[in-house]
Amino acid sequence: MEKVSALPLEQLRERTSEKWREYPADVLPLFVAETDFPLAPAITEALERAVRSGDTGYVASRTPLAAAFSGFAQRRYGWSPDPARMRSTADVSMGIVELLRRVTTPGERIVVTPPVYPPFYDLVEEAGAVVERVPLRDTGEGWELDLDGIRSALEGGARAVLLCNPHNPTGTVHSAASLVALAELAATHGAAVVSDEIHAPLTQPGAGFTPFLAVSDAARAVGYAVVSASKAFNLAGLKCALMVTAADDTTRLVRGMPVEVEWRTGQFGMLAATAAFSEESDEWLGGLLATLDENRRLVADLLAEHLPAARYRIPDAGYLAWIDLTDLGWGTNPAKRMLREAKVALQFGHAFGAEGAGHVRLNFGTSPEIITEAITRIAALDHPGA
């Protein structure tokens, strides 16, 4: 298996996506969750074939995508979801909103578990509901769901839980035991669980990702998963995700959505995701995970050397480093100073919730050279001229 290497910086700066157009050319962008790697060959071939044949129309009512994801889930997680219980849409965020609209009524409360992906707050509001914050528990060694807090929220009337698994920004892979307990709580209180599993393909070997719908009968009865190839294979701009169910009632709810929800799927997104989930891309994904494993450890080594007051736990999944800089005394939003003085763009920690004050999120889905340059620049803020 060959590791996947990031493209050269000069080539990356030719890209027109958000990561490479938000800031001037003197800024190193490590904020938004895009990666700097070339596409998997099977994806490039699928897209080139579509362009050559003019296959650029509406997405079909029957596609190979669901079957491809089912095969991928079996190979990666030992889980075989039924393709007949899936439906596509434009992206994970849209899938979440459409599901939340149907499992809650306007004004009802939905549990989120901060620090968490900032759009979760907006998605709940877009669905007409109200955010109920139940922060993750810091065990001293990692993060976990606060099941007692979630129980209290559900007892108090919250009607759904918006789960992030693996968790963004901490990279936590929630344990099967905690997911079983969450499903039981939801079932007891007549609540739904919508599980965002977009980072699941990026789980490192040995970390043991468990799909929510695979953990128990209760999870299958109350749960919905929303999945996509977009994070692992850098396909966000192509617009494709799957809403996955595992019980008759939940499947009926998804099938009852207007056809426009499915027609928002991008044709190129469907083709690219099908190629990503195929066996042809397995070796490429393994190479990517090997590269990210080295990068997540490089971040730890560089912080230990240059910013020893920073606190960082190596994530189990993804390419996002959640770094606590509180002890540096750089204020509640240290990323602003980094951008202004070091010309390094990281994601503002407070955007993830109050728990993110003093934190930053760094995207290490890039080259070791860019990671090293970014952290070296940041460290120089504390030691000018170093």
Side-chain angles (χ1 to χ4, degrees), residues 80-102:
S80 298
D82 183 352
R85 294 186 182 275
M86 304 180 200
R87 200 169 184 193
S88 70
T89 191
D91 55 35
V92 166
S93 290
M94 184 170 290
I96 288 170
V97 170
E98 295 296 341
L99 288 165
L100 294 180
R101 282 174 173 158
R102 288 160 177 80

PDB file of all heavy atoms in Angstrom, residues 80-102:
ATOM      1  N   SER A  80     -23.939  -4.378   7.020  1.00  0.00           N
ATOM      2  CA  SER A  80     -24.526  -4.491   5.683  1.00  0.00           C
ATOM      3  C   SER A  80     -25.877  -3.793   5.636  1.00  0.00           C
ATOM      4  O   SER A  80     -26.937  -4.452   5.678  1.00  0.00           O
ATOM      5  CB  SER A  80     -24.683  -5.970   5.295  1.00  0.00           C
ATOM      6  OG  SER A  80     -23.427  -6.606   5.237  1.00  0.00           O
ATOM      7  N   PRO A  81     -25.906  -2.471   5.537  1.00  0.00           N
ATOM      8  CA  PRO A  81     -27.186  -1.766   5.447  1.00  0.00           C
ATOM      9  C   PRO A  81     -27.902  -2.108   4.147  1.00  0.00           C
ATOM     10  O   PRO A  81     -27.268  -2.383   3.123  1.00  0.00           O
ATOM     11  CB  PRO A  81     -26.783  -0.294   5.486  1.00  0.00           C
ATOM     12  CG  PRO A  81     -25.377  -0.273   4.965  1.00  0.00           C
ATOM     13  CD  PRO A  81     -24.756  -1.550   5.431  1.00  0.00           C
ATOM     14  N   ASP A  82     -29.224  -2.092   4.193  1.00  0.00           N
ATOM     15  CA  ASP A  82     -30.052  -2.456   3.048  1.00  0.00           C
ATOM     16  C   ASP A  82     -30.129  -1.278   2.079  1.00  0.00           C
ATOM     17  O   ASP A  82     -30.630  -0.208   2.436  1.00  0.00           O
ATOM     18  CB  ASP A  82     -31.451  -2.822   3.555  1.00  0.00           C
ATOM     19  CG  ASP A  82     -32.373  -3.294   2.447  1.00  0.00           C
ATOM     20  OD1 ASP A  82     -31.995  -3.206   1.268  1.00  0.00           O
ATOM     21  OD2 ASP A  82     -33.495  -3.731   2.781  1.00  0.00           O
ATOM     22  N   PRO A  83     -29.657  -1.447   0.833  1.00  0.00           N
ATOM     23  CA  PRO A  83     -29.733  -0.342  -0.124  1.00  0.00           C
ATOM     24  C   PRO A  83     -31.148   0.172  -0.335  1.00  0.00           C
ATOM     25  O   PRO A  83     -31.346   1.354  -0.658  1.00  0.00           O
ATOM     26  CB  PRO A  83     -29.159  -0.942  -1.406  1.00  0.00           C
ATOM     27  CG  PRO A  83     -28.263  -2.049  -0.942  1.00  0.00           C
ATOM     28  CD  PRO A  83     -28.941  -2.613   0.272  1.00  0.00           C
ATOM     29  N   ALA A  84     -32.137  -0.689  -0.148  1.00  0.00           N
ATOM     30  CA  ALA A  84     -33.529  -0.274  -0.352  1.00  0.00           C
ATOM     31  C   ALA A  84     -33.999   0.680   0.744  1.00  0.00           C
ATOM     32  O   ALA A  84     -35.060   1.306   0.605  1.00  0.00           O
ATOM     33  CB  ALA A  84     -34.443  -1.508  -0.394  1.00  0.00           C
ATOM     34  N   ARG A  85     -33.238   0.795   1.812  1.00  0.00           N
ATOM     35  CA  ARG A  85     -33.610   1.688   2.918  1.00  0.00           C
ATOM     36  C   ARG A  85     -32.781   2.977   2.913  1.00  0.00           C
ATOM     37  O   ARG A  85     -32.617   3.629   3.935  1.00  0.00           O
ATOM     38  CB  ARG A  85     -33.440   0.962   4.256  1.00  0.00           C
ATOM     39  CG  ARG A  85     -34.387  -0.222   4.459  1.00  0.00           C
ATOM     40  CD  ARG A  85     -34.257  -0.780   5.859  1.00  0.00           C
ATOM     41  NE  ARG A  85     -35.083  -1.939   6.105  1.00  0.00           N
ATOM     42  CZ  ARG A  85     -36.352  -1.908   6.486  1.00  0.00           C
ATOM     43  NH1 ARG A  85     -36.948  -0.728   6.643  1.00  0.00           N
ATOM     44  NH2 ARG A  85     -37.026  -3.025   6.707  1.00  0.00           N
ATOM     45  N   MET A  86     -32.234   3.349   1.764  1.00  0.00           N
ATOM     46  CA  MET A  86     -31.427   4.554   1.647  1.00  0.00           C
ATOM     47  C   MET A  86     -32.035   5.495   0.609  1.00  0.00           C
ATOM     48  O   MET A  86     -32.730   5.062  -0.304  1.00  0.00           O
ATOM     49  CB  MET A  86     -29.996   4.210   1.217  1.00  0.00           C
ATOM     50  CG  MET A  86     -29.281   3.230   2.097  1.00  0.00           C
ATOM     51  SD  MET A  86     -27.608   2.903   1.482  1.00  0.00           S
ATOM     52  CE  MET A  86     -27.261   1.344   2.303  1.00  0.00           C
ATOM     53  N   ARG A  87     -31.714   6.774   0.761  1.00  0.00           N
ATOM     54  CA  ARG A  87     -32.132   7.768  -0.221  1.00  0.00           C
ATOM     55  C   ARG A  87     -31.079   8.874  -0.261  1.00  0.00           C
ATOM     56  O   ARG A  87     -30.579   9.290   0.785  1.00  0.00           O
ATOM     57  CB  ARG A  87     -33.499   8.343   0.148  1.00  0.00           C
ATOM     58  CG  ARG A  87     -34.212   8.991  -1.031  1.00  0.00           C
ATOM     59  CD  ARG A  87     -35.639   9.313  -0.698  1.00  0.00           C
ATOM     60  NE  ARG A  87     -36.319   9.854  -1.871  1.00  0.00           N
ATOM     61  CZ  ARG A  87     -37.492  10.453  -1.846  1.00  0.00           C
ATOM     62  NH1 ARG A  87     -38.150  10.575  -0.691  1.00  0.00           N
ATOM     63  NH2 ARG A  87     -38.033  10.911  -2.949  1.00  0.00           N
ATOM     64  N   SER A  88     -30.757   9.346  -1.439  1.00  0.00           N
ATOM     65  CA  SER A  88     -29.704  10.350  -1.557  1.00  0.00           C
ATOM     66  C   SER A  88     -30.257  11.760  -1.485  1.00  0.00           C
ATOM     67  O   SER A  88     -31.459  11.999  -1.674  1.00  0.00           O
ATOM     68  CB  SER A  88     -28.928  10.163  -2.864  1.00  0.00           C
ATOM     69  OG  SER A  88     -29.730  10.505  -3.977  1.00  0.00           O
ATOM     70  N   THR A  89     -29.357  12.690  -1.204  1.00  0.00           N
ATOM     71  CA  THR A  89     -29.663  14.119  -1.237  1.00  0.00           C
ATOM     72  C   THR A  89     -28.361  14.867  -1.491  1.00  0.00           C
ATOM     73  O   THR A  89     -27.324  14.247  -1.765  1.00  0.00           O
ATOM     74  CB  THR A  89     -30.363  14.589   0.048  1.00  0.00           C
ATOM     75  OG1 THR A  89     -30.865  15.915  -0.141  1.00  0.00           O
ATOM     76  CG2 THR A  89     -29.434  14.543   1.249  1.00  0.00           C
ATOM     77  N   ALA A  90     -28.398  16.206  -1.409  1.00  0.00           N
ATOM     78  CA  ALA A  90     -27.247  16.997  -1.839  1.00  0.00           C
ATOM     79  C   ALA A  90     -26.038  16.852  -0.925  1.00  0.00           C
ATOM     80  O   ALA A  90     -24.914  16.757  -1.400  1.00  0.00           O
ATOM     81  CB  ALA A  90     -27.632  18.464  -1.957  1.00  0.00           C
ATOM     82  N   ASP A  91     -26.233  16.898   0.366  1.00  0.00           N
ATOM     83  CA  ASP A  91     -25.101  16.790   1.284  1.00  0.00           C
ATOM     84  C   ASP A  91     -25.614  16.409   2.663  1.00  0.00           C
ATOM     85  O   ASP A  91     -26.829  16.337   2.899  1.00  0.00           O
ATOM     86  CB  ASP A  91     -24.272  18.074   1.324  1.00  0.00           C
ATOM     87  CG  ASP A  91     -25.075  19.327   1.649  1.00  0.00           C
ATOM     88  OD1 ASP A  91     -26.029  19.234   2.444  1.00  0.00           O
ATOM     89  OD2 ASP A  91     -24.745  20.399   1.121  1.00  0.00           O
ATOM     90  N   VAL A  92     -24.688  16.161   3.574  1.00  0.00           N
ATOM     91  CA  VAL A  92     -25.063  15.709   4.906  1.00  0.00           C
ATOM     92  C   VAL A  92     -25.890  16.766   5.631  1.00  0.00           C
ATOM     93  O   VAL A  92     -26.879  16.441   6.305  1.00  0.00           O
ATOM     94  CB  VAL A  92     -23.807  15.316   5.711  1.00  0.00           C
ATOM     95  CG1 VAL A  92     -24.122  15.182   7.196  1.00  0.00           C
ATOM     96  CG2 VAL A  92     -23.237  14.010   5.173  1.00  0.00           C
ATOM     97  N   SER A  93     -25.524  18.032   5.495  1.00  0.00           N
ATOM     98  CA  SER A  93     -26.281  19.077   6.184  1.00  0.00           C
ATOM     99  C   SER A  93     -27.731  19.112   5.723  1.00  0.00           C
ATOM    100  O   SER A  93     -28.652  19.245   6.540  1.00  0.00           O
ATOM    101  CB  SER A  93     -25.618  20.440   5.952  1.00  0.00           C
ATOM    102  OG  SER A  93     -24.397  20.526   6.641  1.00  0.00           O
ATOM    103  N   MET A  94     -27.951  18.984   4.432  1.00  0.00           N
ATOM    104  CA  MET A  94     -29.320  18.989   3.926  1.00  0.00           C
ATOM    105  C   MET A  94     -30.085  17.767   4.425  1.00  0.00           C
ATOM    106  O   MET A  94     -31.253  17.864   4.807  1.00  0.00           O
ATOM    107  CB  MET A  94     -29.329  19.035   2.401  1.00  0.00           C
ATOM    108  CG  MET A  94     -30.719  19.134   1.807  1.00  0.00           C
ATOM    109  SD  MET A  94     -30.664  19.475   0.036  1.00  0.00           S
ATOM    110  CE  MET A  94     -30.063  21.163   0.056  1.00  0.00           C
ATOM    111  N   GLY A  95     -29.416  16.612   4.438  1.00  0.00           N
ATOM    112  CA  GLY A  95     -30.065  15.413   4.957  1.00  0.00           C
ATOM    113  C   GLY A  95     -30.465  15.570   6.409  1.00  0.00           C
ATOM    114  O   GLY A  95     -31.560  15.169   6.824  1.00  0.00           O
ATOM    115  N   ILE A  96     -29.574  16.181   7.205  1.00  0.00           N
ATOM    116  CA  ILE A  96     -29.886  16.403   8.618  1.00  0.00           C
ATOM    117  C   ILE A  96     -31.113  17.294   8.771  1.00  0.00           C
ATOM    118  O   ILE A  96     -32.032  16.987   9.540  1.00  0.00           O
ATOM    119  CB  ILE A  96     -28.672  17.030   9.334  1.00  0.00           C
ATOM    120  CG1 ILE A  96     -27.558  15.985   9.494  1.00  0.00           C
ATOM    121  CG2 ILE A  96     -29.068  17.588  10.702  1.00  0.00           C
ATOM    122  CD1 ILE A  96     -26.238  16.567   9.973  1.00  0.00           C
ATOM    123  N   VAL A  97     -31.153  18.405   8.042  1.00  0.00           N
ATOM    124  CA  VAL A  97     -32.291  19.324   8.151  1.00  0.00           C
ATOM    125  C   VAL A  97     -33.586  18.637   7.762  1.00  0.00           C
ATOM    126  O   VAL A  97     -34.614  18.750   8.465  1.00  0.00           O
ATOM    127  CB  VAL A  97     -32.065  20.584   7.286  1.00  0.00           C
ATOM    128  CG1 VAL A  97     -33.349  21.411   7.208  1.00  0.00           C
ATOM    129  CG2 VAL A  97     -30.953  21.431   7.863  1.00  0.00           C
ATOM    130  N   GLU A  98     -33.577  17.912   6.652  1.00  0.00           N
ATOM    131  CA  GLU A  98     -34.808  17.259   6.203  1.00  0.00           C
ATOM    132  C   GLU A  98     -35.287  16.227   7.212  1.00  0.00           C
ATOM    133  O   GLU A  98     -36.502  16.072   7.438  1.00  0.00           O
ATOM    134  CB  GLU A  98     -34.590  16.619   4.832  1.00  0.00           C
ATOM    135  CG  GLU A  98     -34.304  17.597   3.710  1.00  0.00           C
ATOM    136  CD  GLU A  98     -35.462  18.543   3.429  1.00  0.00           C
ATOM    137  OE1 GLU A  98     -36.604  18.245   3.829  1.00  0.00           O
ATOM    138  OE2 GLU A  98     -35.226  19.599   2.805  1.00  0.00           O
ATOM    139  N   LEU A  99     -34.370  15.527   7.841  1.00  0.00           N
ATOM    140  CA  LEU A  99     -34.762  14.552   8.855  1.00  0.00           C
ATOM    141  C   LEU A  99     -35.281  15.235  10.114  1.00  0.00           C
ATOM    142  O   LEU A  99     -36.324  14.842  10.662  1.00  0.00           O
ATOM    143  CB  LEU A  99     -33.575  13.649   9.198  1.00  0.00           C
ATOM    144  CG  LEU A  99     -33.185  12.644   8.113  1.00  0.00           C
ATOM    145  CD1 LEU A  99     -31.802  12.058   8.383  1.00  0.00           C
ATOM    146  CD2 LEU A  99     -34.227  11.540   7.996  1.00  0.00           C
ATOM    147  N   LEU A 100     -34.558  16.264  10.585  1.00  0.00           N
ATOM    148  CA  LEU A 100     -34.993  16.947  11.798  1.00  0.00           C
ATOM    149  C   LEU A 100     -36.367  17.585  11.621  1.00  0.00           C
ATOM    150  O   LEU A 100     -37.169  17.628  12.575  1.00  0.00           O
ATOM    151  CB  LEU A 100     -33.971  18.003  12.213  1.00  0.00           C
ATOM    152  CG  LEU A 100     -32.602  17.488  12.665  1.00  0.00           C
ATOM    153  CD1 LEU A 100     -31.689  18.652  13.041  1.00  0.00           C
ATOM    154  CD2 LEU A 100     -32.735  16.517  13.837  1.00  0.00           C
ATOM    155  N   ARG A 101     -36.674  18.076  10.441  1.00  0.00           N
ATOM    156  CA  ARG A 101     -37.988  18.668  10.183  1.00  0.00           C
ATOM    157  C   ARG A 101     -39.115  17.654  10.378  1.00  0.00           C
ATOM    158  O   ARG A 101     -40.238  18.024  10.709  1.00  0.00           O
ATOM    159  CB  ARG A 101     -38.051  19.206   8.752  1.00  0.00           C
ATOM    160  CG  ARG A 101     -37.363  20.534   8.554  1.00  0.00           C
ATOM    161  CD  ARG A 101     -37.358  20.912   7.086  1.00  0.00           C
ATOM    162  NE  ARG A 101     -36.835  22.262   6.900  1.00  0.00           N
ATOM    163  CZ  ARG A 101     -36.320  22.719   5.768  1.00  0.00           C
ATOM    164  NH1 ARG A 101     -36.253  21.924   4.709  1.00  0.00           N
ATOM    165  NH2 ARG A 101     -35.871  23.957   5.680  1.00  0.00           N
ATOM    166  N   ARG A 102     -38.778  16.387  10.172  1.00  0.00           N
ATOM    167  CA  ARG A 102     -39.814  15.354  10.199  1.00  0.00           C
ATOM    168  C   ARG A 102     -39.882  14.587  11.505  1.00  0.00           C
ATOM    169  O   ARG A 102     -40.870  13.879  11.751  1.00  0.00           O
ATOM    170  CB  ARG A 102     -39.602  14.407   9.011  1.00  0.00           C
ATOM    171  CG  ARG A 102     -39.977  15.087   7.698  1.00  0.00           C
ATOM    172  CD  ARG A 102     -39.353  14.431   6.470  1.00  0.00           C
ATOM    173  NE  ARG A 102     -39.834  15.119   5.267  1.00  0.00           N
ATOM    174  CZ  ARG A 102     -39.351  16.272   4.813  1.00  0.00           C
ATOM    175  NH1 ARG A 102     -38.346  16.872   5.452  1.00  0.00           N
ATOM    176  NH2 ARG A 102     -39.852  16.829   3.717  1.00  0.00           N
TER     177      ARG A 102
END
